Amino acid sequence: VEWGHRVQGLEPSDAKIQLTVARLDKVSTGYPVAHTEVVVDKLYEMSAEYVVAADGYDSFVRRRLGIAFPSQGQGQIYSVFQFATGGELPEDGRLMLEDQRVGAYWPLPDRRCRFSFPVATAEEHNPDAVNLKALLSSRAPWFTGKVGDIEWTALGMFEQKLAASFGEGRIWMAGDAAHLTGPLGAQSMNVGLREGADLAERIVRIHRGDADSGLLVEYGASRL
């Protein structure tokens, strides 16, 4: 795993894939108010027999292959709060079911927790303690802990998308590069881990001569 790197060039052929990989760095710029920008520090040229693209929802590899990434339903908006608390806390994660919306509670170390409340519009997200207490009262009446310092709060938009294809030839996708769903249960990530393991096993079998490239085509067909 190489943190702070990204593929920004990809040229496939019958025998291998030529890759341009950028090493990224952060620099502070701006006066009088500084801000951080990500810049390319160095470019590497390399080749590989196979590429497994796990490069996220804005996948360069998917876009380079021209694979469509259509929506499969309405996106989900969450008002997320992470805060310190006192009193008794549930030790296990919980789901909050309400009509067709599902929220979640996650216990964290050091008497902290995180709540994700589904909301219909961005305007419903009000990042203050008064709104948080109102949400807890209406959505999680079982929660008896007190609201302490709010560490952070955010409005999260999660789309539902599925790639029209999971790859071709020697290039295949796994995880968010190929599908998106809501954050509950980390489904997109967990499915992506299984896809990565599946692809690795298939590539090993092909490399050893136990199977041909049709094994990867079967992978693509099995994911749709």
Side-chain angles (χ1 to χ4, degrees):
V1 175
E2 294 286 356
W3 294 104
H5 289 69
R6 72 181 179 208
V7 172
Q8 63 180 48
L10 181 147
E11 295 296 332
S13 67
D14 291 340
K16 63 179 181 180
I17 303 100
Q18 192 67 31
L19 299 162
T20 301
V21 178
R23 185 176 70 191
L24 306 178
D25 197 5
K26 292 183 178 180
V27 296
S28 295
T29 62
Y31 180 83
V33 179
H35 62 277
T36 301
E37 294 181 351
V38 176
V39 299
V40 175
D41 178 53
K42 189 173 182 179
L43 293 175
Y44 299 90
E45 299 293 331
M46 60 185 66
S47 63
E49 289 186 48
Y50 296 93
V51 167
V52 174
D55 52 343
Y57 72 95
D58 193 32
S59 170
F60 166 83
V61 174
R62 186 190 67 244
R63 290 184 283 111
R64 171 66 179 79
L65 294 177
I67 296 174
F69 200 39
S71 295
Q72 303 297 312
Q74 186 175 357
Q76 303 166 69
I77 308 175
Y78 289 89
S79 182
V80 184
F81 290 85
Q82 181 168 307
F83 58 95
T85 184
E88 287 210 20
L89 295 177
E91 296 181 354
D92 299 318
R94 294 188 178 187
L95 297 180
M96 302 175 291
L97 308 179
E98 177 189 355
D99 296 328
Q100 297 184 10
R101 303 193 296 186
V102 183
Y105 157 82
W106 289 276
L108 299 172
D110 303 321
R111 309 207 61 75
R112 296 148 54 240
C113 63
R114 183 183 305 161
F115 276 87
S116 294
F117 300 101
V119 294
T121 65
E123 288 71 27
E124 291 186 46
H125 175 67
N126 194 343
D128 59 34
V130 173
N131 182 52
L132 172 57
K133 290 176 182 178
L135 287 168
L136 288 169
S137 177
S138 61
R139 309 279 185 89
W142 43 265
F143 183 78
T144 59
K146 295 183 178 180
V147 175
D149 292 335
I150 298 176
E151 296 179 0
W152 62 266
T153 178
L155 183 69
M157 172 69 179
F158 294 88
E159 298 181 278
Q160 298 185 61
K161 292 189 172 186
L162 179 66
S165 165
F166 270 55
E168 59 186 46
R170 294 175 173 269
I171 306 170
W172 297 88
M173 300 185 298
D176 284 0
H179 47 72
L180 292 176
T181 187
L184 304 183
Q187 296 176 75
S188 208
M189 180 185 71
N190 287 327
V191 171
L193 291 171
R194 291 198 298 269
E195 290 165 350
D198 187 7
L199 277 169
E201 182 179 347
R202 291 171 188 265
I203 290 172
V204 166
R205 289 177 60 190
I206 293 170
H207 190 69
R208 289 176 175 172
D210 298 333
D212 60 24
S213 59
L215 201 60
L216 292 174
V217 177
E218 289 178 10
Y219 164 81
S222 72
R223 312 315 296 180
L224 297 176

